[in-house]
Amino acid sequence: MYSIKVEGLSKFYPLGVFADQKVASRKFLGIPLPLKRLWPILNGESENQQGGFWALKDINLDVQPGEIIGIVGKNGCGKSTLLKILSNVTLPSAGRATLRGQVGSLLEVGTGFHGELTGRQNIYLNGSILGMAREQIDRRLDEIVAFAEIDKFLDTPVKHYSSGMYMRLAFSVAAHLDCDIMLVDEVLAVGDIHFQKKCLGRIDSQVKSGKTVLFVSHNTSMILQACSRCILLEAGKMTADGAPQSIIERYLALEGERFHERFWSYKESPKNEQTDFRLVSIKSLNNDGTATSRFDVKESFAITCEWEVLVPRYKLNVHLYFRHQSGVTAFVTMNNINSTSYDSVRGKGVYSATCRVPANFLNEGAFNVDYLVCTNPTG
């Protein structure tokens, strides 16, 4: 018996003037509004003519209870759209999805949190938004607080929380929802390595108890570590479904040179007005300074990263984790914590650091680089 069954699922988004028209009536020539938006397509007009695109196109998927499935693909391929449809946040343009059991969605961790309310009050507020009864929250309160590790700050307004505390609490509330299906969208990118391991442990325990998990992430090492099955999306279409190792290898080979750099916008920063700093960019460079993702193991290369300090801070630590595609961590490096500059106050602005990897240091294969900036525990 399936837990999730997706049949011919498609989602079309009109763009431009056509998309922005305000419709006073829910009917157009007697046709419901969703079909009105598809009217040009049904009449054979191309998507380009109407300035629209298919975010998803004819997705078919069967998921069994107890499976944890990773979903990979480049930005804009439809990963988040798929989870939003399964969460009933967005309606499909065609096809259908059938889910058996209660669904817990971790699409945007912290949605529904109020900065002026305390951690305790936000647990009840966010829990109710996610569908938890007050009695259920009462029973789980101690577990939620312990998992988030915010005991001392439980009755402090969350606007005073660090970004890490904020996200830990938000994930903890969602992770303790009694559900049969859990949909997770990139939320494990937040928090330190210790908390990410706790999150994975929590998800693993959910799967062992028979729950189903769909897990979207750009962190391929985490997909390899957590998932028993993986699917690849390309331009809204599902092009591969199978063992995580083979799918990840295909994904990395498909993307090729795209992985030589990554930029983060303000919108991609944690949704916390008290955030002190944010990631800006990371690039991989060969010896002549050209950005590339392919290197000869006999030659050295460099990784440069930038971050922005929004509130003057001291004791900021920059970490780079080099992980082989098999999920094994090759090595971890960080900025010199004994340097004088480490103990000095960092004013507002953009800072950079470079890690130089010597020749003949790594074996052949594909590697992921995880980039983390955090405050020192004593800072």
Side-chain angles (χ1 to χ4, degrees):
M1 180 181 294
Y2 63 83
S3 179
I4 301 174
K5 189 175 186 63
V6 176
E7 302 171 280
L9 201 64
S10 300
K11 179 64 179 180
F12 179 80
Y13 284 107
L15 300 175
V17 176
F18 183 70
D20 294 331
Q21 290 176 344
K22 293 183 179 179
V23 182
S25 172
R26 297 292 294 179
K27 298 283 186 177
F28 172 71
L29 298 178
I31 301 173
L33 180 58
L35 287 181
K36 174 200 167 180
R37 291 175 173 170
L38 285 175
W39 186 256
I41 303 167
L42 297 174
N43 278 276
E45 297 181 31
S46 71
E47 300 155 25
N48 292 332
Q49 286 176 318
Q50 294 300 322
F53 71 100
W54 289 99
L56 290 175
K57 185 66 173 177
D58 197 27
I59 302 296
N60 295 282
L61 180 67
D62 283 354
V63 183
Q64 303 303 313
E67 279 194 291
I68 175 167
I69 298 181
I71 305 175
V72 296
K74 69 178 184 179
N75 290 335
C77 71
K79 302 185 301 296
S80 296
T81 300
L82 175 59
L83 292 196
K84 286 180 179 179
I85 292 176
L86 296 180
S87 302
N88 208 26
V89 173
T90 300
L91 294 176
S93 300
R96 66 177 183 177
T98 306
L99 291 81
R100 290 178 169 168
Q102 185 175 358
V103 179
S105 300
L106 286 72
L107 303 185
E108 294 184 10
V109 174
T111 299
F113 268 38
H114 194 295
E116 298 297 332
L117 300 181
T118 67
R120 185 190 304 275
Q121 291 169 329
N122 271 294
I123 290 174
Y124 282 91
L125 173 63
N126 196 236
S128 63
I129 291 174
L130 292 174
M132 300 172 69
R134 184 177 183 86
E135 295 74 17
Q136 182 183 350
I137 301 174
D138 289 337
R139 293 195 305 270
R140 294 293 181 85
L141 181 62
D142 291 342
E143 294 178 47
I144 293 172
V145 174
F147 189 92
E149 301 174 2
I150 50 98
D151 313 54
K152 296 180 181 179
F153 308 96
L154 182 59
D155 294 307
T156 300
V158 298
K159 69 179 183 180
H160 298 305
Y161 283 17
S162 68
S163 58
M165 293 167 59
Y166 185 94
M167 302 308 265
R168 288 202 307 269
L169 180 59
F171 179 90
S172 184
V173 174
H176 284 82
L177 173 67
D178 283 334
C179 61
D180 304 293
I181 300 169
M182 183 179 289
L183 307 175
V184 185
D185 187 2
E186 203 61 79
V187 298
L188 299 188
V190 304
D192 55 26
I193 298 300
H194 165 70
F195 188 70
Q196 287 184 17
K197 288 182 178 178
K198 284 183 64 175
C199 294
L200 287 175
R202 178 69 186 179
I203 290 175
D204 185 58
S205 65
Q206 297 269 22
V207 172
K208 288 180 179 178
S209 65
K211 294 177 172 60
T212 302
V213 178
L214 261 61
F215 177 31
V216 166
S217 180
H218 286 290
N219 188 329
T220 53
S221 331
M222 198 170 287
I223 292 284
L224 289 168
Q225 180 182 349
C227 301
S228 57
R229 179 181 164 196
C230 188
I231 65 173
L232 173 63
L233 294 181
E234 299 178 56
K237 298 180 180 180
M238 191 172 76
T239 58
D241 180 354
Q245 183 68 47
S246 63
I247 300 300
I248 293 302
E249 289 177 359
R250 175 169 172 174
Y251 170 51
L252 294 176
L254 178 69
E255 293 302 318
E257 292 298 313
R258 197 183 78 82
F259 283 95
H260 64 271
E261 60 186 0
R262 168 78 192 274
F263 297 91
W264 286 269
S265 65
Y266 279 97
K267 292 182 179 180
E268 294 178 295
S269 299
K271 295 177 175 60
N272 179 2
E273 61 185 12
Q274 298 300 313
T275 299
D276 296 341
F277 49 89
R278 71 178 189 91
L279 305 183
V280 175
S281 68
I282 185 169
K283 300 179 183 180
S284 55
L285 308 171
N286 60 21
N287 287 323
D288 64 7
T290 302
T292 180
S293 63
R294 297 181 182 275
F295 303 95
D296 189 325
V297 294
K298 298 178 181 179
E299 298 180 358
S300 63
F301 65 94
I303 301 293
T304 64
C305 50
E306 293 182 316
W307 68 97
E308 182 179 9
V309 176
L310 305 175
V311 177
R313 294 285 311 203
Y314 62 98
K315 295 185 183 299
L316 284 180
N317 232 337
V318 180
H319 301 252
L320 294 176
Y321 293 78
F322 288 73
R323 306 180 194 275
H324 188 262
Q325 61 185 22
S326 64
V328 175
T329 300
F331 70 95
V332 180
T333 183
M334 65 186 73
N335 58 332
N336 185 2
I337 61 175
N338 294 318
S339 67
T340 302
S341 61
Y342 175 77
D343 292 319
S344 61
V345 174
R346 298 265 184 163
K348 290 184 179 180
V350 176
Y351 296 84
S352 65
T354 299
C355 168
R356 301 193 181 278
V357 180
N360 301 308
F361 189 74
L362 295 173
N363 291 327
E364 293 183 352
F367 289 83
N368 300 313
V369 179
D370 296 338
Y371 171 29
L372 174 69
V373 178
C374 61
T375 55
N376 186 278
T378 60

